[in-house]
Amino acid sequence: MQENFELVQRGFRILVSSMSGYIGQELNKTYKNNWWNEVLTTLYDQRDLPSGGNYGDLVDSLDIANCIRLLDRRWHDVFRNVLPQNCRTWARELMGVRNIVAHIGQQDLEQPMAERALDTMALLCKEMDSEGAEEIREIYRSVRARAGEQPIQVEFSGLAQPASDSKRGALTEGSLLQLVDTEIVQKTTLTRKVTYGGKTVVYPVYRVRLDYLYYNDQNDRISTWITRYESENGTESLSDLNVDIYNRIIENFICESNPEAIKKTQKNIALVGQREPGVTLADGRIVDGNRRYTCLRKIQRETSEPIYFETVIMDMDIREDKKQIKLLELAIQHGEEKKVDYDLIDYAVGTYRDVVQTKLLTVEEYATSTNEAVADVKKRIEIAGVICEFLDYLKLPEQYHVAREYQVYSLFQEMMAPLRQLDDDGKQQLKRIAFNNAMMKAIPDQRKFIRDIKGLIKNGTYNTYFEEQQELGKIIKEKFDQIVVHAKEDVDKFAEENISIGDELQLSMERALLKSRSQLLRNKPSENVSKSIALLTDVDSRLFSKMDVEDKEELKAGLDELANIVDSFRKML
């Protein structure tokens, strides 16, 4: 049964009817007859909108997601002067709900989330259509009646405040450590060693109720998933969500990033319980143990009994000690003996952002925290730099999730060696070759592609290949410059429409390999003669006088045979 899911869907249907009409009205007031062109410009990343039509049909074509996008993206130009600031925050929160509803599968929405979603819908709708808001309130009351209890006040922790009249947090005035010996936090007899700042300290382990904890959005494991969400919903969209929706969205990221690991860990916890304690900050932010927390959340949905997360509690504040928190996370995730498995692109991007972009850490600090050599950290940053160049080339700067979807880390990692063998111009050419082939889906096997390029460079037969690829690159650039790119789908479409160029890129490599093999075969005789000369030069003639008659005769016979071979080769040439 998906009763809460269906009721929330009903609420969205009422809200979209009120919201689309209001948004159409305000945009029409501001932009007059050009209002729909402004809609298409604002919703550049959406494919299912009509190019034109009558006013009513155009308004009806706006779904709830596009209504929220329009409200958020045109807030300063249109809606800031007609709606209170809370409306933007409520809308962003509802986008989170909409995303959860769209991917919920056969599960039902949890009771608190359904109540919160409908309450937020009613608050937003009231500013646009009071009658529609009352209809949503009726649905909200029916949800509450099903629960059989009074409305609950949803509390938040650890995130930015969503509105002036809403406190984000059970822990705003204190910390988990102040709740020890309550039903929320209970001390256990367990301990865990945590190494941080070069010191290993034994900390007590506590049992903390799940709803007082939240995910760490600074976790490198999900860095590319967060960039994908923010590219679709706005750079500050996650920080404006209430903790329930925020946790649900991050949970989806963690499950998507490694579904098999989640299944395995959840099965193990269900059988034997949580065996390894996590590490949590005093405000409820989980620094280590996000996967275990995810599994416990999934198990919690199957039982009415409260489930607890076993964890160390460290009295640090992410807002005040951001650098220290990052050092702590790195020390735990990468610096201890049992390192956490990370997607290579997520790890590289996390390193690049911390050292190069935000300059939160130096290379030396990063290396010390992760127990790595400085040279290894620099190599990873170098690869991440090429990833950034690739994204710029695709017109999708800093959309790191795109690099993860292309799976180009190994390609660029292997490309570092041949790059070092080329001059500056050759380096740029090779990068563009790799970018074009990846973009046009012309690399069936990344390892073979780079191995073949290494071979061409080693044999000195790469110039013709580079020239052919450069000419094809000019054609690609000319065509690619003519399109507008907002998402990877635009690049994929470009590759599909120009599949013949992709085929030609692959044929260019095949021709280069054939030519290289042919040249090597042609060069073989001279190579063998060179080797023979080298061997003869190494012969020590001073030993001739010490040879017996039989050995001398054998040597003369060999020289005669060699002379005959040389004479025959001369005649052939």
Side-chain angles (χ1 to χ4, degrees), residues 176-396:
L176 289 174
L177 292 170
Q178 294 177 334
L179 299 174
V180 175
D181 295 331
T182 69
E183 64 160 340
I184 297 164
V185 182
Q186 300 158 9
K187 190 173 182 179
T188 73
T189 58
L190 303 173
T191 59
R192 173 179 172 175
K193 293 180 179 179
V194 177
T195 302
Y196 172 61
K199 298 180 181 179
T200 300
V201 179
V202 178
Y203 287 91
V205 173
Y206 299 86
R207 298 173 71 243
V208 182
R209 214 170 70 190
L210 298 186
D211 56 340
Y212 273 72
L213 301 169
Y214 69 98
Y215 289 106
N216 177 26
D217 58 352
Q218 305 298 321
N219 187 346
D220 288 344
R221 189 199 296 277
I222 55 171
S223 59
T224 59
W225 301 85
I226 288 178
T227 63
R228 182 186 71 178
Y229 185 87
E230 290 182 340
S231 72
E232 295 172 351
N233 301 285
T235 54
E236 299 297 327
S237 51
L238 271 175
S239 63
D240 286 329
L241 300 177
N242 75 60
V243 74
D244 291 323
I245 296 172
Y246 168 90
N247 273 347
R248 192 66 174 265
I249 289 171
I250 300 293
E251 177 186 317
N252 286 341
F253 294 163
I254 291 174
C255 290
E256 286 183 66
S257 68
N258 197 335
E260 291 305 314
I262 289 293
K263 289 179 183 177
K264 182 178 178 181
T265 304
Q266 183 175 341
K267 183 178 180 180
N268 189 55
I269 289 177
L271 287 172
V272 300
Q274 181 187 343
R275 301 179 66 178
E276 179 71 22
V279 176
T280 302
L281 304 187
D283 69 347
R285 180 185 292 262
I286 298 173
V287 177
D288 178 53
N290 287 284
R291 185 180 291 169
R292 281 157 277 166
Y293 178 57
T294 295
C295 296
L296 289 169
R297 282 170 54 84
K298 292 167 78 71
I299 294 170
Q300 175 72 85
R301 296 188 192 112
E302 301 170 4
T303 178
S304 58
E305 295 297 318
I307 291 180
Y308 292 81
F309 180 63
E310 293 183 355
T311 180
V312 163
I313 300 175
M314 301 186 71
D315 195 10
M316 303 172 77
D317 189 330
I318 188 72
R319 290 161 296 189
E320 295 178 4
D321 298 320
K322 191 171 184 179
K323 178 175 180 176
Q324 300 306 315
I325 299 305
K326 190 65 189 182
L327 291 171
L328 174 63
E329 179 200 324
L330 293 174
I332 294 172
Q333 300 289 333
H334 302 290
E336 296 184 352
E337 290 183 8
K338 187 179 179 182
K339 294 191 177 185
V340 177
D341 56 310
Y342 270 58
D343 183 280
L344 291 174
I345 284 184
D346 282 313
Y347 194 17
V349 167
T351 308
Y352 185 82
R353 294 176 79 174
D354 291 336
V355 176
V356 178
Q357 287 187 313
T358 65
K359 293 182 171 54
L360 185 66
L361 304 175
T362 66
V363 173
E364 291 73 20
E365 287 173 330
Y366 202 102
T368 299
S369 296
T370 56
N371 196 23
E372 293 179 280
V374 169
D376 291 338
V377 177
K378 287 182 176 179
K379 286 178 185 176
R380 193 162 59 250
I381 291 172
E382 185 180 12
I383 296 167
V386 177
I387 290 173
C388 291
E389 289 183 54
F390 175 59
L391 295 175
D392 289 341
Y393 194 77
L394 298 181
K395 306 180 189 177
L396 296 169

Side-chain angles (χ1 to χ4, degrees), residues 455-518:
L456 293 175
I457 293 174
K458 180 181 179 181
N459 297 330
T461 57
Y462 67 91
N463 286 325
T464 303
Y465 172 68
F466 274 30
E467 288 169 6
E468 281 192 12
Q469 290 282 314
Q470 192 170 16
E471 291 304 312
L472 290 168
K474 289 177 182 177
I475 298 171
I476 293 170
K477 185 178 187 307
E478 183 179 346
K479 290 176 174 288
F480 196 59
D481 285 346
Q482 295 174 13
I483 71 168
V484 178
V485 176
H486 301 294
K488 182 176 179 288
E489 290 73 18
D490 297 314
V491 184
D492 290 340
K493 183 180 178 183
F494 175 81
E496 290 168 10
E497 292 174 348
N498 295 278
I499 191 169
S500 60
I501 301 178
D503 292 340
E504 190 59 32
L505 288 170
Q506 292 188 61
L507 288 172
S508 174
M509 174 62 86
E510 292 175 16
R511 286 194 296 270
L513 293 174
L514 285 172
K515 186 173 182 179
S516 179
R517 292 189 193 105
S518 176

Side-chain angles (χ1 to χ4, degrees), residues 11 42 45 73 106 108 118 143 152 159 173-174 227 271 282 317 323 344 347 351 375 409 451 463 520 563 565:
T42 305
D45 48 353
R73 296 175 186 180
Q106 299 301 311
D108 197 10
L118 289 163
V143 172
I152 60 173
L159 304 170
E173 302 300 328
T227 63
L271 287 172
D317 189 330
K323 178 175 180 176
L344 291 174
Y347 194 17
T351 308
Y409 186 89
R451 187 169 65 245
N463 286 325
L520 287 174
I565 293 173

Side-chain angles (χ1 to χ4, degrees), residues 396-438:
L396 296 169
E398 297 188 24
Q399 295 194 29
Y400 300 110
H401 57 285
V402 173
R404 188 193 67 242
E405 290 165 14
Y406 274 106
Q407 285 299 306
V408 291
Y409 186 89
S410 295
L411 174 67
F412 297 151
Q413 182 183 37
E414 292 298 319
M415 193 173 70
M416 291 298 109
L419 277 175
R420 294 187 182 96
Q421 297 177 307
L422 300 170
D423 58 22
D424 290 343
D425 184 56
K427 285 181 171 66
Q428 291 306 314
Q429 287 188 59
L430 179 52
K431 286 180 185 178
R432 286 193 294 270
I433 288 169
F435 295 168
N436 283 329
N437 278 267

Side-chain angles (χ1 to χ4, degrees), residues 9-28:
Q9 286 282 61
R10 279 178 55 194
F12 270 132
R13 285 194 289 271
I14 296 168
L15 178 62
V16 73
S17 177
S18 302
M19 199 172 178
S20 61
Y22 180 85
I23 285 174
Q25 171 188 309
E26 293 302 323
L27 290 174
N28 192 271

